[in-house]
Amino acid sequence: LTEVDCVFCAIVAGSSPASMLYGDEQVVAFLDIRPVNAGHLLVVPRVHAALLSELAPVIGGRLFQVGMALDQALRCSGVRCDDVNLYLADGAVAGQEVPHVHLHVVPRFRGDGFGLRLPAGYGRRPEREALEEIAGWIRRALGEVEDAR
Ligand code: 5GP
Ligand code: ZN
């Protein structure tokens, strides 16, 4: 399934250029055109899905497996890479700009200037009761999600 006007579907189809790193039946990996650091790459499912909720779980699993392999590859590739961030923005409010699922694999080195910005007031520890209440909501929702699968 190819979405018209989707830049990553065009790369998967081979109709748009990319510096390819890997491809199998389920996913491809290529360099990001605006890298945070040299070697910054994306792992992308071949099938079009905007959000993780639209992606088959096995393909999500493959996405992460390939991300793990490329994390290891980056470390011994010659690009500057002391450690690695795996990052996925699931939805626009979470920072997703391209609406086709993609896992960022970002080589990191001390002083590279990259990082997540934390909200004002971060660091406060809620009471256990408050944590448990929220854990209850999420456990219930997870049950429903698993049942629907
Ligand atoms: P997001 O903000 O959606 O998590 O990340 C989108 C990423 O895709 C950005 O890092 C951006 O540089 C990259 N990107 C956008 N368009 C293209 C493209 O046409 N080719 C490649 N290789 N990367 C792209
Ligand atoms: Zn797409």
Side-chain angles (χ1 to χ4, degrees):
L1 201 86
T2 300
E3 195 95 336
V4 242
D5 290 344
C6 173
V7 287
F8 290 171
C9 280
I11 288 172
V12 166
S15 56
S16 184
S19 295
M20 275 293 165
L21 301 167
Y22 175 81
D24 63 24
E25 282 181 7
Q26 293 176 327
V27 305
V28 300
F30 50 84
L31 290 181
D32 195 297
I33 38 164
R34 285 172 58 200
V36 167
N37 288 322
H40 175 186
L41 64 94
L42 304 171
V43 191
V44 172
R46 284 187 183 275
V47 65
H48 182 84
L51 299 173
L52 285 177
S53 58
E54 299 160 10
L55 190 68
V58 287
I59 298 181
R62 187 70 197 144
L63 200 73
F64 200 80
Q65 278 186 344
V66 171
M68 288 171 68
L70 285 162
D71 170 324
Q72 278 191 256
L74 282 172
R75 292 169 185 269
C76 54
S77 65
V79 304
R80 193 166 179 195
C81 180
D82 297 329
D83 283 310
V84 177
N85 276 124
L86 301 191
Y87 175 77
L88 192 152
D90 192 24
V93 174
Q96 184 180 15
E97 288 179 355
V98 176
H100 178 133
V101 171
H102 50 281
L103 177 64
H104 293 262
V105 184
V106 185
R108 299 296 311 276
F109 53 88
R110 211 172 288 285
D112 63 16
F114 181 55
L116 293 176
R117 194 161 27 80
L118 297 166
Y122 168 79
R124 191 186 56 87
R125 289 184 57 163
E127 298 298 323
R128 176 63 53 194
E129 243 177 49
L131 292 174
E132 276 303 316
E133 186 185 12
I134 292 165
W137 299 345
I138 298 170
R139 283 192 295 261
R140 201 170 320 115
L142 181 60
E144 284 164 20
V145 167
E146 298 274 284
D147 287 347
R149 260 182 193 168

